[in-house]
Amino acid sequence: MTHKSGFVNIIGSPNVGKSTLMNQLVGERLSIITNKAQTTRHRIMGIVNTDDYQIVYSDTPGIVNSAYELHDSMMRFVQTALQDADILLLVIEIGEKNLNHLETLDKIVASNVPIIIAMNKIDKSDEEKVKSQMAFWKEKIPRADIFPISALHGFNVDSLFNRLIELLPVGEPFYDKEELTDKPLKFFVSEIIREKIFLHYKKEIPYASEVEIESFKDLGHIIHIDANIMVERPTQKGIIIGHMGKALKRVGTEARKDMEVFLNKKVFLQMHVKVDKDWRSKKTRLKYYGYNT
Ligand code: GDP
Ligand code: MG
């Protein structure tokens, strides 16, 4: 068999079961879930690897629940999703009639990305309703393959998955399979902090910073994480911390929230800022932080 690989972007209104479905799709064939920001593609959420294929799933995180923001955010995501998806996975809740996102629908209809509709939560419905909903959506998006499923109960998720594999383009993996499966959780956790540093500080600060996870303890109900942010000079330390510690606090809060989504557990995050003088110019330090020198 020739190798297949591609990006599957999951879109849909809030609360329709996108994350539940992704967990089903990724979980059963667990490889890795990451929250790493990519430069060329948007956020990767789940990667599934076998010898024959690699699927890179993206969920839509953080859609805000006000009508305007939601719409905005949907639109932005759909724009990117249409550009870089190999397959669109549109999750619709049983009973959901599309009236809110007409523009989004237009975009989807106009594109030529293969599309699968997951008609979710059929456990809450009956056959007749499911049939009429399928007909409704088939008319809206004629080229879509529609699968009535229950993400929660794992019902019919396998047929949907098989169709995904069929539609997946032939190609080499995008991400190194060995490397991904070998990366410890700690790596992804440090990447989340690094991402926030990139978001909130300017100029050389992000580049002069390195994140080190000092300890990662899963206590069952909560995960305790101790992280060090290493910078090159004392002035940078001051900038990272900010006036009254506000800047660092913001990084901490945002990172913790992302970690909780990523790890699916409460997180207690402690961060310290330390100076490791000119670490970027020292071979031994670079090696210590995991860079090839
Ligand atoms: P998201 O906001 O689209 O990511 O939705 P979630 O995956 O977080 O699910 C929202 C809610 O719907 C949760 O309470 C899920 O347990 C529930 N849910 C998801 N799939 C199903 C399903 O197939 N049947 C039922 N009854 N509930 C579901
Ligand atoms: Mg979700």
Side-chain angles (χ1 to χ4, degrees):
M1 184 178 149
T2 35
H3 192 275
K4 292 182 149 194
S5 68
F7 287 76
V8 175
N9 295 345
I10 305 177
I11 59 172
S13 305
N15 232 32
V16 292
K18 295 182 299 297
S19 301
T20 310
L21 177 58
M22 196 176 83
N23 286 342
Q24 284 278 354
L25 288 165
V26 177
E28 283 173 7
R29 306 159 181 85
L30 187 81
S31 265
I32 197 93
I33 296 199
T34 98
N35 213 347
K36 191 178 171 187
Q38 294 292 312
T39 43
T40 49
R41 306 259 180 167
H42 53 83
R43 229 163 246 270
I44 296 171
M45 298 295 283
I47 302 177
V48 173
N49 287 315
T50 70
D51 287 343
D52 299 325
Y53 58 79
Q54 177 173 77
I55 307 179
V56 187
Y57 293 102
S58 306
D59 195 355
T60 39
I63 288 184
V64 186
N65 228 337
S66 90
Y68 181 72
E69 287 269 356
L70 166 67
H71 197 233
D72 244 30
S73 164
M74 276 287 281
M75 288 305 294
R76 270 197 305 275
F77 182 77
V78 169
Q79 286 284 23
T80 358
L82 287 173
Q83 279 159 18
D84 70 11
D86 294 299
I87 302 167
L88 268 186
L89 181 51
L90 173 63
V91 184
I92 284 166
E93 192 174 359
I94 200 79
E96 196 185 0
K97 300 267 165 162
N98 183 83
L99 297 171
N100 301 336
H101 320 303
L102 288 179
E103 276 174 75
T104 304
L105 187 64
D106 288 347
K107 283 247 150 66
I108 292 171
V109 171
S111 88
N112 45 28
V113 184
I115 174 158
I116 292 179
I117 295 180
M119 175 85 43
N120 194 27
K121 305 196 187 181
I122 60 163
D123 55 292
K124 293 209 298 193
S125 188
D126 56 59
E127 203 181 324
E128 204 172 308
K129 236 182 175 170
V130 172
K131 274 191 178 149
S132 85
Q133 270 269 288
M134 284 178 73
F136 176 87
W137 283 99
K138 191 72 198 167
E139 202 196 313
K140 291 258 178 215
I141 313 177
R143 72 199 159 80
D145 288 314
I146 307 180
F147 290 86
I149 65 160
S150 169
L152 190 62
H153 301 286
F155 176 77
N156 212 25
V157 173
D158 265 13
S159 351
L160 187 155
F161 179 77
N162 291 338
R163 183 64 184 142
L164 276 178
I165 296 290
E166 273 173 27
L167 289 171
L168 211 60
V170 169
E172 293 301 306
F174 290 92
Y175 302 94
D176 188 324
K177 289 178 175 177
E178 292 307 313
E179 199 177 310
L180 278 171
T181 40
D182 290 350
K183 289 265 189 238
L185 279 181
K186 270 164 83 167
F187 168 77
F188 296 108
V189 163
S190 69
E191 285 293 290
I192 289 174
I193 299 176
R194 248 166 44 80
E195 181 195 273
K196 301 306 169 199
I197 295 173
F198 267 88
L199 279 173
H200 293 303
Y201 301 96
K202 295 193 194 85
K203 293 183 186 155
E204 93 286 5
I205 295 286
Y207 303 97
S209 305
E210 181 58 48
V211 176
E212 183 186 32
I213 305 300
E214 178 113 7
S215 79
F216 183 103
K217 290 191 196 121
D218 191 339
L219 304 179
H221 61 294
I222 194 167
I223 298 173
H224 275 237
I225 297 170
D226 262 311
N228 294 327
I229 298 176
M230 317 299 292
V231 290
E232 292 191 297
R233 291 193 302 272
T235 46
Q236 294 165 341
K237 177 174 170 174
I239 293 171
I240 291 274
I241 294 172
H243 182 57
M244 312 270 281
K246 265 195 187 143
L248 182 63
K249 197 163 178 191
R250 180 157 79 159
V251 167
T253 307
E254 288 185 13
R256 177 182 52 76
K257 283 184 183 155
D258 278 11
M259 287 173 194
E260 288 179 339
V261 171
F262 170 51
L263 298 163
N264 201 13
K265 219 176 237 189
K266 268 211 137 356
V267 167
F268 177 76
L269 173 64
Q270 231 167 354
M271 292 197 304
H272 300 278
V273 187
K274 295 183 179 174
V275 178
D276 184 356
K277 200 168 173 305
D278 299 325
W279 67 266
R280 271 189 298 176
S281 328
K282 294 175 180 163
K283 263 196 166 183
T284 50
R285 298 313 290 160
L286 285 168
K287 207 169 226 149
Y288 175 81
Y289 292 124
Y291 295 95
N292 291 323
T293 53

